[in-house]
Amino acid sequence: MTNRILNKLSLLILFGFSFLINFGAWAQDTPMVPDFEHFYEDVTQQKLSQLYWRLGKFDIDDDMAVDNYLRINECDIYKEYKYNQFEWNGIRKKARVYLRNNIDSFPERFKYEQPILLREYDPETQQFEIHPRYRIDGARKFELYSLDFYESPCGQVSTHRIYDVEGYPNALLLELNQPLTLTEIPVDHRIAKKYIEERMKKFLELPESRRSREAVYSFREAYIVIKIRVFSYKGTEKIMNGRTRATVYAMLEGYEIYGDPEHEQLLHYQNYMRKAEQTPVEVRLKEQFEALKRKRGQ
């Protein structure tokens, strides 16, 4: 009886040891996956045009606003029928019905990317230092442009300048509900080791005369993908060359940091929504918006 028990214990210990080895290998090879619940849109002219309607920037009876929405989102229809008065009146009417029925489904969550450079990695704290030129130190305001900022809107003819479609800025000034600070980022040592080794391959391709510590850092590029929820429109102002910029209030919901432009090598992420207090999101948004208005004396 005693021998049978000992044999079973030995098998269990052997199985457990084998499982730990296999699990460790699996964990090492399994990429990190962020746990964001929502989908975040890229900032494009079309998505911004929908955002403005969701935020209540336009009056549904504003013909110009409706026409320009169609110009951005239904270019072929706009080109074919805009100057056919009878056809266009019918199209505009259908567009109003569509906007009324779909405003609540238009996007409010967006993501945008900022490139950075990393410096030394501390094995003890398991953190990368962010290059001083790219550090974010308590910033609340961010300016961003649509990915197609320099593309001509539908039907625009100009060889020198590109203008925004009237009422639809392609640049945003974000005012976040909380400051963002990023001076260093925690990265698991296995992920950091792989990242550093890949960058060293590029560095070693340099001739000896060009190698330096700063040259090492120059290959340690990374990409911050900031994730926000826009909840209020403040106003629009002119910026440059006939372009305009909309100021909006947004909730910072988190960010991801990747080691490659394809966003396949995730180094670190932070999900503020997961850590948020158990206060309903709409209540927190209203409180933060009112606080921003009080701060500005509005």
Side-chain angles (χ1 to χ4, degrees), residues 94-111:
K94 290 179 180 178
R96 282 197 171 94
V97 173
Y98 173 81
L99 288 168
R100 285 194 187 96
N101 294 338
N102 289 276
I103 282 177
D104 289 342
S105 67
F106 285 170
E108 60 182 349
R109 285 184 164 87
F110 291 86
K111 61 183 178 182

Side-chain angles (χ1 to χ4, degrees), residues 141-208:
K141 293 184 178 182
F142 291 85
E143 186 175 44
L144 62 145
Y145 301 89
S146 66
L147 296 177
D148 48 359
F149 183 80
Y150 292 105
E151 295 181 15
S152 297
C154 174
Q156 185 185 82
V157 180
S158 174
T159 57
H160 302 290
R161 291 183 179 180
I162 297 175
Y163 299 95
D164 296 328
V165 174
E166 184 175 345
Y168 291 88
N170 289 318
L172 288 181
L173 179 62
L174 297 177
E175 295 195 21
L176 300 180
N177 66 310
Q178 67 183 69
L180 176 61
T181 298
L182 277 173
T183 58
E184 53 192 14
I185 60 169
V187 180
D188 181 271
H189 70 278
R190 293 187 299 266
I191 297 174
K193 182 175 183 293
K194 181 179 180 181
Y195 171 83
I196 290 172
E197 287 174 350
E198 289 175 352
R199 298 309 178 277
M200 281 301 296
K201 292 177 183 178
K202 297 180 180 180
F203 170 77
L204 294 174
E205 293 175 359
L206 293 176
E208 188 68 34

Side-chain angles (χ1 to χ4, degrees), residues 11 81 222 277:
L11 286 172
Y81 296 106
E277 298 177 357

